[in-house]
RNA sequence: GGGCGUAUAGCUCAGCGGUAGAGCGCUCGCCUCACACGCGAGAAGUCCCUGGUUCGAACCCAGGUACGCCCA
């Protein structure tokens, strides 16, 4: 079947068939493969590596749509693009997935042992780790799949080791006993950023401690079991209630230990009783206070989440049981004075959901203040720009108060620390195992985010000076979600400056978070998730991309399936518009700005404006606005008006007119396909293949420019006026119960020459013929000039009486409104001249309309 | 506790100083030779509340209310 016959047959755009075919064509043409030696200014986007455990969700789909739009657009502009894909090893998440598999067989990772377990995780990764990258392909993303990286693969790991060693050499990395966020079920420390805070209803217990030499002091705590580990009581130095007690000793309930009463400004006078028990082993503030006062840190709860031997008879109880025992004990002894309901914020482990146990343990930390400094400067100086701009506040607030980063994790899946322990407990930090016997590598692994912090340069081969690194570092835009600005973006900027010689990207585009339709978080566990692959099946990839880009703005949005459906409609519309033109155009026509008639000049003017507008919107990350610009140009201006206007010419006998319409329409289609391609790559590529005299793929073609398209504001204004007149005419037909195509005649009054020249347009779109006769009959005013159409028809005015009356009322009201504005001396005096002039024009126009309508009504009532 | 954001048509959202907009839904009329996944027309809004700035406020400012998110 030849292509023309094929096109004739396909009356709908069927996405699934097209998508697989077109994607294969791109692959075959090597569209995706980046070459550092190719010409063109470099342009690079690093895909935020999804977890290997992940499957494509709405956030990925949106994120991917934005990045592919940018990559395709820049590729068409002639840039040498690289979109670097890959996945993250996601320490805790991945380890948990495999542990769950083991649990199904009734075993734990400890049964397997570390080596076998890690091997098993690798096996899992090899078999299913690329799922999400494969899913991205359904969306049509043009990443360089041949360069897929994994944060633990052989080419990536050396960078991680080297950065750790260098940070240590520069004195940033150190080992310390410190109070960390401990996740009991995961048996590991986690960073501050992996802690979620939630409000919890607790009880505030007020407990009396006896004071040596008489009296007592009452403190408030929500965790009475930690009393066992108290090392002091602190009061505010200026609190008169306790001034006399400072320096005395208190007796810890239950264990009878003597502890000092100290003064510290960090105590809140207003909170509880104003006296604070100091338990450095279980509370971050207490830990600081304890260090400053040289107090030791005791632990009532161990790393296993069980009670320690501070109270020997409770040893081995869970923390919860310890809590109950303590409350019971204090009640019986009479030392428990008050139990007050208390709602406060408590930290939970993001991964396991367990309440965080702040515990002392020996961990590796990275001091961040010096790394943060230049990273703050590059954002303040706009060397790195956030979009929307306000997002930089999230970054700066965190960076300016940055704290040491606990980088070690007690997991099995991850990058082992390049730290080697000698039998005597001393250690060295270096990549290679030291010479000699007995060296053991640290059993800790690095925080997953440590390795992803190096993503923009480790993927390009750093520390080797590869051609890729030279070409594509720094990259251009990072597209990601707001939730990982600090977790990931900040750390890439810091390590990029520290190790790769500069910022990793110049723009950070933060895409919207898509909520479920009911406003809740979109998540599988809540059952509120919508699978983007289902949307692609149902509506097509182009429609899904279009809908997501339309939803995406500077704020969080609720998922609206209607926007996807709108995209489906647009793809179908464009498909059919192209069919109309290709099947009916002059066979010799080529895409040319042939402005024979004013309608042609009008659509060319609109096309040029649309090209400029969309290009600007892409440049400014205004993707939602771009969907609107393209939609209304394609659907409303091109299809509803231009194509309707030229149908008669395409079917008609006037060769020159047919040729002009064909050439202009072909040009509009050609340019529109290019404009829309970054957003909807499949349907545009498919249609491109049908265009005459166009070789090659659209994806490789030049992005449209407006340079060679003539602008014609006069034609634009004239046709704009005709469009308004025809809309008025159609309304009149409806009101008078005339059919849409019933032939009508009309006369013109006023400044009519320009309008008379457009008689064919009026005939084509309004089914109305201009005749030379006295101006009579219901009026349709033309907005741009003083001309008025008078529609002729027997009894027409009678049918329109209500409508005329209504319009008279409206015209009077508008005229009055404008008059009263002009009656305001201050308005005339202070408003800009053109605003005042416009108001004068409105008075004139509505007064004229009103007079005309009034005359018609009078004539009607008289008759 | 601190910060950020949002409240506009039935729904989802644009507009962000000069005559209230779109898509969907709804009503009416059309199987008009590209598309019924279509065409034409229409109804529908104290632009959250109260003050202020301004010739003029949905838009700027202040306060309030409601909701969402982030940080500690």
């Amino acid at each position: 079947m030849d292509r023309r016959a094929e096109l004739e047959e396909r009356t709908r755009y069927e996405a699934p068939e097209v998508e697989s075919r077109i994607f294969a064509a791109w692959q075959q043409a090597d569209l995706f493969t980046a070459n550092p030696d190719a010409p063109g200014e470099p342009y690079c986007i690093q895909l935020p590596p999804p977890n290997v455990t992940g499957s494509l969700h709405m956030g990925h789909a949106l994120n991917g749509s934005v990045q592919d739009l940018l990559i395709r657009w820049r590729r068409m502009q002639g840039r040498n693009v690289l979109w670097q894909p890959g996945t993250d090893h996601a320490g805790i998440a991945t380890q948990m997935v495999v542990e769950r598999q083991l649990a199904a067989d009734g075993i734990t990772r400890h049964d397997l042992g570390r080596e076998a377990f890690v091997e098993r995780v690798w096996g899992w990764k090899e078999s299913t780790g690329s799922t999400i990258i494969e899913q991205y392909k359904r969306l049509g993303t043009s990443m360089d799949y041949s360069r897929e990286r994994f944060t633990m693969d052989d080419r990536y790991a050396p960078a991680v080791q080297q950065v750790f060693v260098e940070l240590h050499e520069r004195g940033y990395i150190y080992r310390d006993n410190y109070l960390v966020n401990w996740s009991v079920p995961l048996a590991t420390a986690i960073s501050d950023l992996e802690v979620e805070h939630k409000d919890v209803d607790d009880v505030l217990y007020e407990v009396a401690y006896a004071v040596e030499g008489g009296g007592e002091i009452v403190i408030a705590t929500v965790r009475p079991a930690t009393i066992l580990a108290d090392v002091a009581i602190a009061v505010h130095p200026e609190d008169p209630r306790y001034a006399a007690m400072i320096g005395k000793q208190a007796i810890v309930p239950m264990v009878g230990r003597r502890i000092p009463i100290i003064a510290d400004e960090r105590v809140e006078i207003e909170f509880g009783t104003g006296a604070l028990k100091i338990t450095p082993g279980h509370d971050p503030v207490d830990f600081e206070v304890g260090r400053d006062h040289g107090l030791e840190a005791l632990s009532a709860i161990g790393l296993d989440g069980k009670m320690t031997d501070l109270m020997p008879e409770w040893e081995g109880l869970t923390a919860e049981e310890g809590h109950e025992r303590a409350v019971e004990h204090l009640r019986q002894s009479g030392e428990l004075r008050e139990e007050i309901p208390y709602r406060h914020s408590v930290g939970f482990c993001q991964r396991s959901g367990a309440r965080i146990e702040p515990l002392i343990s020996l961990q590796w930390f990275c001091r961040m203040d010096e790394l943060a400094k230049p990273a703050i400067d590059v954002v303040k100086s706009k060397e790195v720009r956030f979009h929307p701009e306000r997002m930089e506040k999230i970054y700066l607030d965190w960076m300016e108060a940055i704290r040491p980063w606990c980088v070690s994790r007690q997991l099995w899946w991850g990058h082992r620390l390049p730290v080697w322990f000698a039998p005597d407990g001393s250690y060295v930090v270096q990549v290679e195992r030291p010479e000699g016997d007995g060296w053991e590598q640290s059993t800790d692994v690095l925080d997953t985010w440590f390795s992803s912090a190096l993503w923009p340069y480790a993927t390009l081969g750093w520390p080797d000076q590869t051609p890729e690194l030279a070409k594509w570092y720094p990259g251009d835009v990072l597209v990601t979600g707001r939730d990982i600005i600090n977790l990931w973006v900040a750390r890439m900027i810091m390590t990029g400056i520290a190790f790769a010689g500069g910022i990793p990207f110049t723009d950070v585009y933060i895409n919207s978070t898509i909520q479920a339709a009911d406003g809740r978080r979109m998540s599988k566990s809540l059952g509120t998730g919508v699978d983007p692959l289902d949307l692609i099946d149902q509506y097509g990839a182009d429609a899904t991309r279009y809908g997501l880009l339309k939803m995406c703005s500077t704020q969080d949005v609720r998922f609206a399936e209607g926007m996807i459906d709108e995209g489906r409609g647009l793809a179908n519309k464009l498909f059919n518009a192209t069919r109309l033109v290709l099947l009916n155009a002059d066979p010799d026509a080529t895409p040319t700005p042939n402005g024979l008639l004013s309608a042609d000049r009008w659509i060319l003017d609109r096309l040029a404006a649309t090209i400029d507008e969309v290009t600007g919107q892409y440049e400014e990350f205004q993707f939602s606005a771009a969907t609107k610009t393209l939609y209304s140009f394609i659907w409303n201006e091109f299809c509803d008006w231009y194509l309707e206007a030229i149908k008669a010419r395409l079917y008609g006998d006037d060769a020159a007119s047919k040729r002009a319409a064909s050439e202009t329409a072909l040009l509009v289609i050609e340019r529109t396909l290019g404009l829309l391609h970054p957003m909807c790559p499949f349907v545009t590529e498919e249609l491109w293949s049908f265009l005459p005299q166009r070789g090659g793929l659209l994806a490789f073609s030049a992005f449209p420019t407006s340079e060679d398209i003539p602008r014609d504001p006069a034609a634009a204004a004239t046709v704009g006026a005709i469009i308004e007149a025809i809309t008025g005419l159609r309304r009149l037909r409806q009101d008078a119960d005339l059919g849409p195509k019933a032939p009508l005649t009309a006369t013109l009054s006023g400044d009519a020459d320009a309008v008379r020249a457009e008689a064919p347009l009026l005939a084509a779109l309004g089914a109305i013929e201009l005749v030379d006769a006295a101006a009579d009959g219901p009026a349709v005013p033309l907005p741009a000039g003083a001309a008025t159409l008078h529609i002729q028809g027997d009894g027409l005015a009678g049918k329109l009486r209500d409508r005329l009356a209504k319009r008279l009322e409206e015209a009077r009201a508008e005229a009055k409104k404008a008059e009263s504005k002009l009656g305001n001396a201050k308005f005339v005096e202070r408003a800009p001249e053109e605003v005042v002039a416009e108001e004068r024009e409105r008075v004139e126009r509505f007064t004229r309309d009103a007079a005309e309508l009034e005359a018609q009504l009078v004539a009607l009532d008289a008759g």
Side-chain angles (χ1 to χ4, degrees):
Chain A
M1 181 163 43
D2 72 2
R3 301 225 76 195
R4 186 183 172 87
E6 185 191 334
L7 200 56
E8 255 171 50
E9 212 166 82
R10 291 165 61 183
T11 59
R12 285 184 188 181
Y13 173 65
E14 303 284 359
E17 182 270 324
V18 173
E19 286 170 11
S20 51
R21 187 159 43 74
I22 294 286
F23 195 86
W26 289 330
Q27 273 180 318
Q28 205 160 14
D30 234 0
L31 172 68
F32 308 139
T33 312
N35 174 6
D37 300 325
E41 202 188 329
Y43 184 80
C44 174
I45 293 180
Q46 297 277 348
L47 176 76
N51 289 354
V52 274
T53 54
S55 57
L56 198 77
H57 60 57
M58 211 54 81
H60 297 123
L62 167 58
N63 191 251
S65 300
V66 169
Q67 289 170 79
D68 198 43
L69 183 151
L70 293 170
I71 280 286
R72 284 179 182 275
W73 168 53
R74 292 301 194 185
R75 186 187 289 121
M76 291 173 82
Q77 285 188 329
R79 305 281 285 266
N80 181 5
V81 304
L82 166 65
W83 184 5
Q84 171 68 49
T87 51
D88 191 289
H89 70 278
I92 297 174
T94 309
Q95 178 164 326
M96 280 171 75
V97 167
V98 178
E99 281 186 290
R100 266 199 297 275
Q101 283 185 346
L102 295 179
D105 300 335
I107 53 174
T108 70
R109 67 183 154 110
H110 300 282
D111 298 330
L112 279 184
R114 181 162 188 154
E115 208 174 314
F117 178 78
V118 168
E119 213 167 291
R120 175 127 185 182
V121 182
W122 272 111
W124 178 88
K125 190 265 164 187
E126 295 308 330
S127 64
T128 60
S130 281
T131 304
I132 190 159
I133 299 295
E134 289 303 312
Q135 290 174 325
Y136 263 115
K137 291 181 183 171
R138 288 289 316 281
L139 204 59
T141 50
S142 56
M143 308 170 189
D144 185 350
Y145 297 100
S146 71
R147 294 177 184 272
E148 183 178 335
R149 289 287 182 278
F150 177 57
T151 53
M152 265 175 72
D153 68 28
D154 292 343
R155 285 172 292 191
Y156 197 99
V160 179
Q161 307 279 317
Q162 176 156 341
V163 166
F164 185 90
V165 171
E166 273 195 41
L167 285 171
H168 180 260
E169 280 165 6
R170 294 190 204 178
Y172 297 146
I173 288 207
Y174 60 95
R175 195 180 188 218
D176 195 9
N177 254 308
Y178 208 83
L179 193 78
V180 296
N181 306 299
W182 188 262
S183 170
V184 173
L186 300 177
T188 182
I190 59 174
S191 77
D192 294 338
L193 289 171
E194 292 163 294
V195 176
E196 274 177 4
H197 294 267
K198 285 186 228 165
D199 275 354
V200 163
D201 286 312
D202 265 331
V203 176
L204 193 61
Y205 300 92
E206 291 194 355
V207 180
Y209 291 40
V211 176
E212 244 179 22
E216 60 177 34
I217 187 161
V218 178
I219 58 88
T221 178
V222 289
R223 308 201 61 192
T226 65
I227 286 173
L228 304 178
D230 283 356
V231 296
I233 284 179
V235 297
H236 196 279
E238 279 151 34
D239 190 339
R241 294 173 294 180
Y242 301 112
M245 291 191 182
I246 296 169
K248 289 188 175 177
Q249 300 279 310
I251 310 297
V252 179
M254 300 184 279
V255 287
R257 200 169 50 243
R258 296 169 67 229
I259 56 170
I261 298 172
I262 60 173
D264 194 285
E265 287 176 349
R266 281 163 285 198
V267 177
E268 282 179 61
I269 296 180
E270 304 295 322
F271 181 78
T273 58
L276 184 68
K277 78 191 200 58
I278 297 300
T279 321
H282 297 290
D283 182 277
V285 176
D286 294 10
F287 185 83
E288 304 275 326
V289 174
R291 280 219 162 168
D292 294 349
H293 290 267
L295 300 164
E296 100 182 280
L298 300 175
S299 297
I301 299 164
L303 296 177
D304 56 2
K306 305 266 173 68
M307 300 301 291
T308 62
D309 62 357
L310 282 180
M311 189 77 164
E313 52 275 46
W314 295 355
E315 190 181 355
L317 295 180
T318 65
E320 206 168 316
E321 288 164 344
H323 174 90
E324 283 160 20
R325 294 290 177 90
V327 171
E328 198 180 319
H329 188 289
L330 295 168
R331 266 192 201 128
Q332 277 173 8
S333 69
E335 288 156 315
L336 180 56
R337 295 297 158 77
E338 296 282 350
E339 298 180 46
I340 305 157
Y342 177 55
R343 191 179 180 81
H344 66 141
S345 177
V346 173
F348 289 84
C349 169
Q350 215 174 49
R351 283 284 161 194
S352 68
R355 196 158 165 160
I356 289 299
E357 201 64 70
L359 292 177
I360 305 261
S361 69
L362 190 55
Q363 301 287 350
W364 294 87
F365 292 87
C366 184
R367 200 157 51 76
M368 302 303 289
D369 46 359
E370 281 176 45
L371 290 167
K373 238 178 156 193
I376 289 169
D377 293 342
V378 296
V379 168
K380 283 193 169 164
S381 67
K382 305 291 178 190
E383 221 179 303
V384 175
R385 289 180 302 273
F386 278 83
H387 309 269
E389 201 175 3
R390 71 184 138 80
M391 293 300 174
E392 76 174 37
K393 189 169 162 40
I394 295 177
Y395 174 92
L396 290 173
D397 284 354
W398 186 71
M399 292 286 275
E400 281 169 352
I402 201 160
R403 308 205 312 171
W405 175 12
C406 176
V407 295
S408 49
R409 297 289 182 275
Q410 289 64 55
L411 301 170
W412 288 358
W413 176 242
H415 292 276
R416 292 273 288 268
L417 270 57
V419 175
W420 308 88
F421 289 96
D424 67 359
S426 65
Y427 63 84
V428 295
V429 176
Q430 61 184 55
V431 174
E432 301 297 330
R433 172 186 294 271
E435 298 288 324
D437 292 333
W439 291 98
E440 293 283 349
Q441 187 172 9
S442 167
T443 55
D444 286 354
V445 300
L446 288 165
D447 180 1
T448 297
W449 295 106
F450 189 93
S451 52
S452 26
L454 327 179
W455 187 250
Y457 48 96
T459 50
L460 299 177
W462 186 94
D464 295 337
Q465 289 305 310
T466 61
E468 284 82 1
L469 195 63
K471 189 76 179 176
W472 288 301
Y473 193 92
D476 294 88
V477 186
L478 181 80
V479 181
T480 192
R482 198 185 36 193
D483 48 337
I484 53 176
I485 289 176
N486 297 331
L487 222 38
W488 188 48
V489 181
R491 287 161 176 171
M492 281 191 289
I493 296 175
M494 287 189 280
T495 74
I497 293 171
F499 293 98
I503 54 169
F505 31 71
T506 53
D507 294 270
V508 179
Y509 177 75
I510 301 297
N511 59 243
S512 302
T513 303
I514 300 182
Q515 300 165 338
D518 59 5
R520 288 188 295 171
R521 216 177 170 71
M522 213 181 239
S523 84
K524 268 190 200 140
S525 53
L526 285 173
T528 50
V530 176
D531 188 343
L533 297 176
D534 289 345
L535 294 174
I536 294 172
D537 289 340
Q538 195 183 342
Y539 296 96
D542 290 328
T544 303
R545 294 166 60 120
Y546 173 95
L548 290 172
L549 289 168
K550 172 158 177 151
M551 272 176 242
C552 146
S553 68
T554 59
Q555 59 175 41
D556 291 352
V557 287
R558 294 184 179 199
F559 179 73
E561 199 161 327
M563 292 183 183
I564 312 276
D565 195 41
E566 185 181 311
R568 185 201 47 70
L570 182 63
N572 187 249
K573 191 73 177 172
L574 185 63
F575 187 82
N576 276 291
T578 306
R579 281 182 68 227
L580 167 71
V581 174
L582 292 182
L583 294 175
N584 297 289
D586 180 335
D588 296 329
T590 55
T592 309
N594 183 331
L596 182 68
L597 300 186
S598 59
D600 305 325
R601 295 195 295 276
W602 167 75
I603 197 68
L604 290 170
D605 188 86
R606 293 303 311 137
L607 175 66
T610 302
I611 291 171
D612 292 347
E613 199 174 329
V614 170
T615 305
Q617 285 161 336
Y618 286 172
E619 269 160 14
E620 283 160 35
F621 305 102
Q622 307 272 339
F623 308 118
S624 182
T627 64
K628 252 162 266 180
T629 305
L630 283 163
Y631 184 96
S632 72
F633 175 70
I634 293 169
W635 201 302
N636 304 123
E637 296 184 309
F638 184 56
C639 292
D640 288 348
W641 289 105
Y642 186 67
L643 291 184
E644 291 304 328
I646 65 168
K647 270 181 183 173
R649 295 164 63 191
L650 291 179
Y651 299 139
D653 303 326
D654 183 337
S657 181
K658 174 166 178 159
R659 175 79 174 234
S662 301
E663 294 191 331
T664 302
L666 284 171
L667 182 84
V668 173
I669 286 171
E670 181 197 75
R671 300 289 162 99
T672 303
L673 293 179
L675 270 191
L676 186 63
H677 181 77
M679 203 176 269
C680 299
F682 290 106
V683 67
T684 49
E685 188 73 81
E686 172 74 350
L687 289 171
W688 183 262
S689 74
F690 286 98
L691 291 191
Q693 296 158 21
R694 283 293 144 195
L697 293 171
L698 174 57
F700 285 116
S701 305
F703 191 75
T705 62
S706 61
E707 286 162 19
D708 58 338
I709 303 173
R711 299 283 196 139
D712 192 337
T718 304
V719 176
I722 297 291
I723 285 173
E724 268 194 61
I726 288 165
T727 303
L729 183 62
R730 286 172 178 165
R731 194 180 308 141
L732 181 145
R733 284 174 179 276
Q734 184 99 353
D735 288 341
D737 262 339
L738 299 167
K741 289 264 161 139
L744 289 175
T745 55
T747 56
L748 275 170
S749 68
D751 184 7
D753 287 351
V755 180
R756 193 161 284 120
E758 299 306 327
L761 202 50
L762 284 166
L765 294 171
I768 192 154
E769 194 192 340
L770 295 180
V771 294
D772 276 326
D776 190 18
V780 175
L782 288 157
T788 300
L789 270 180
H790 299 270
I791 316 300
Q792 299 180 315
D794 278 346
L796 195 54
K799 289 186 186 167
L800 291 170
R801 197 191 184 289
D802 287 351
R803 186 179 133 72
L804 293 175
K806 193 179 161 204
R807 277 197 35 220
L808 173 59
E809 211 174 299
E810 281 166 5
R812 280 178 177 158
E814 289 298 328
K816 203 172 162 191
K817 207 162 115 187
E819 268 165 15
S820 83
K821 258 193 173 176
L822 289 167
N824 182 343
K826 281 185 176 170
F827 171 73
V828 179
E829 180 186 329
R830 295 190 197 180
E833 213 172 300
E834 58 272 21
V835 175
V836 177
E838 199 181 317
E839 224 48 50
R840 292 217 167 90
E841 200 193 312
R842 283 169 63 77
V843 170
E844 203 180 311
R845 199 170 98 211
F846 288 114
T847 308
R848 195 187 68 220
D849 287 358
E852 209 156 318
L853 288 161
E854 210 165 350
Q856 282 180 39
L857 280 167
V858 168
L860 206 57
D861 292 341

